Amino acid sequence: MKTDKRFYHLDALRAIIMSFGVVLHAGMFISVPTDTLVSIFSSTFRMKLFFIISGFFSALVFIKRGDYLYYKDRFFKILIPCVVSVVVICMYSNYLMVEMDGYDKGFSYFINNYFSLISSYDEHINWHLHIWFLFVLTLYCFMFFMLYKAADFFASIKYFELVNQLPDKFYGLFFCCFLSALCVFFRVIHFFVFQEVLVGGGFNYMVQAFLYYLPFYVAGIYLFIRKDCFLKLHSYYVSVLFLSAISFYLYLCYRVDLINIIGFKFYEVGRHFISSFFGLYFSIFCLSLTYKYLNKKIHNVKFLVDCSYTVYLFHFPVLISLVFAFPSFFSEGYMAYFLLIALTYLFCCLIDYFVVKKVLLFNFAFNGSFSSRKR
């Protein structure tokens, strides 16, 4: 595959996925009837598609720049923002959340007893918050050479050569079923090997996420190696959306009832398979749609792409700050919900434009760049 080609639709799709985090997390602070549905819908496809795109772009950067520049680039653009965000953004966000929960012992006590304090609250308050995916992505990137070899091995298997000759819609079906089965396999490994040992908490979640999203990241590398397979997944057909809708409907309808019929463990296997299948099929639909309409240079889309990283990093503390400052207004109802989303996105774009991109220290800390951009 030519490495000098710009994949505008993948840039746009990744930016949309990251920006959707504002919509998802706004539901944590304002109760609306659809927030549970939005959360379920997002969990089925958003991060799966993100890691597929990340694997694809990681392979592109690795081939284009070589191993040394690849690891250097990943260190500055992923690991540095990850560490800084956990220390600054997550700590600030957690402080505001415990304040809203009735904490009254002051900031210095909070800092000195940080980890013991946040562990006493529910799962929404933890040391990594929304930054967890950067830790997982960092591990994948520093294991990249091994993961690339694994993807290259799969690409050379004769059985997959036969599968690659399938018509587009059947190839998409195989792709979704195979990856969904791998997800279930790694989820089972986590359950039997790590769940009992780690019990719960942020570290357990990180291990679970690392194993669960690993097949998607490797799939992204595989799609970069096999250009023909990558293009097959861009063929738009109605059956993609139809099968996605059916699998999502089954996922919603039988989410609880099946526990009483087949037991929790078997239910978990079925739930993860259906969830992954829907997420992957809907991802194919998103790839087809953005390839058709966004695979070109569009000024407004470019702005979205440029600021999406900052939007994702900063949206959580901005959301909490607005709710903390105006608790009576941002409490419930769709008006407050949509206004919170709009104001959060606006403030994040302003932070990106006037602070992150123009101040060298912030640009390095949150973008891994050594030069400020004068606009």
Side-chain angles (χ1 to χ4, degrees), residues 18 47 50-51 129-138 206 309 312-313:
M18 298 186 77
M47 296 313 296
F50 173 83
F51 279 107
L129 293 179
H130 61 301
I131 308 296
W132 65 268
F133 81 101
L134 284 180
F135 280 99
V136 174
L137 190 57
T138 299
M206 207 69 69
Y309 198 28
Y312 190 82
L313 292 180

Side-chain angles (χ1 to χ4, degrees), residues 125-258:
I125 299 178
N126 52 67
W127 61 270
H128 56 74
L129 293 179
H130 61 301
I131 308 296
W132 65 268
F133 81 101
L134 284 180
F135 280 99
V136 174
L137 190 57
T138 299
L139 291 174
Y140 291 162
C141 288
F142 285 102
M143 292 172 56
F144 182 80
F145 185 76
M146 181 174 63
L147 297 179
Y148 187 90
K149 288 294 183 183
D152 193 41
F153 170 76
F154 278 112
S156 63
I157 296 176
K158 290 185 179 180
Y159 174 73
F160 284 98
E161 285 291 337
L162 296 175
V163 172
N164 294 339
Q165 296 173 17
L166 291 171
D168 293 355
K169 59 183 178 181
F170 292 114
Y171 180 78
L173 183 64
F174 171 82
F175 180 82
C176 294
C177 288
F178 183 74
L179 264 189
S180 298
L182 281 179
C183 284
V184 171
F185 173 73
F186 281 108
R187 186 67 182 87
V188 169
I189 288 178
H190 172 263
F191 183 83
F192 285 106
V193 178
F194 297 100
Q195 184 73 29
E196 297 297 325
V197 177
L198 300 174
V199 183
F203 185 67
N204 178 58
Y205 181 81
M206 207 69 69
V207 173
Q208 176 185 324
F210 173 83
L211 291 171
Y212 186 75
Y213 292 109
L214 183 61
F216 299 102
Y217 186 81
V218 176
I221 301 172
Y222 176 87
L223 292 175
F224 176 82
I225 296 172
R226 292 301 306 254
K227 181 181 177 182
D228 53 337
C229 301
F230 177 68
L231 295 176
K232 276 177 178 287
L233 296 180
H234 287 71
S235 300
Y236 174 77
Y237 40 88
V238 179
S239 59
V240 169
L241 196 56
F242 180 69
L243 280 174
S244 296
I246 291 176
S247 57
F248 189 56
Y249 175 76
L250 290 171
Y251 175 70
L252 288 176
C253 289
Y254 298 104
R255 195 162 191 252
V256 177
D257 296 342
L258 276 177

Side-chain angles (χ1 to χ4, degrees), residues 55-93:
F56 185 92
F57 278 133
S58 290
L60 188 149
V61 174
F62 183 81
I63 295 300
K64 186 176 181 178
R65 299 187 180 181
D67 53 358
Y68 172 74
L69 291 178
Y70 167 81
Y71 288 114
K72 180 181 177 182
D73 178 80
R74 300 297 93 178
F75 176 82
F76 286 110
K77 290 192 175 180
I78 298 178
L79 183 58
I80 295 296
C82 176
V83 173
V84 174
S85 296
V86 166
V87 173
V88 178
I89 291 177
C90 292
M91 193 170 287
Y92 169 79
S93 301

